[in-house]
Amino acid sequence: MSRTPQHDIDPARVTGFLTQPDAAAAPVHLSVDALEVLAAAPMGALHGMVLDRYGPYRCVFDADTTTVPVFTEHGAWVGEAPNPDAISDLIDAYENGSPH
């Protein structure tokens, strides 16, 4: 027996198959076809850090280091700028497909 259920579990949607095992005492098997995040989990408190926005990019400034991690607004890794002055160069290289 196989079914294709779709369950909305805040903040995710899981789509897949539940398969009944041959043995009655065995657990049901779940095969996940898709997992969609509907809402991002709340971010924990940032201690000594500041998030800044550069258009569709996000930068994390940490008081303990000069390097600046840069991500897209969807969370894709862009790279790490050696200092705040190099953020624009890093973003330009990312947009132009240059190694970063």
Side-chain angles (χ1 to χ4, degrees):
M1 173 176 140
S2 202
R3 299 169 79 182
T4 308
Q6 181 171 326
H7 298 281
D8 286 341
I9 303 169
D10 193 22
R13 176 178 294 131
V14 180
T15 305
F17 295 93
L18 290 174
T19 306
Q20 186 176 4
D22 293 334
V28 173
H29 176 77
L30 170 63
S31 176
V32 176
D33 292 328
L35 175 62
E36 178 184 0
V37 176
L38 301 175
M43 188 174 205
L46 297 174
H47 300 286
M49 294 184 184
V50 174
L51 291 177
D52 201 358
R53 210 177 161 154
Y54 285 76
Y57 300 96
R58 305 297 179 262
C59 303
V60 182
F61 294 94
D62 186 344
D64 296 331
T65 182
T66 59
T67 59
V68 183
V70 181
F71 302 86
T72 67
E73 64 188 341
H74 300 290
W77 176 249
V78 172
E80 189 170 69
N83 59 59
D85 294 332
I87 294 171
S88 294
D89 293 336
L90 177 67
I91 291 172
D92 287 343
Y94 178 79
E95 289 179 345
N96 294 315
S98 300
H100 43 279

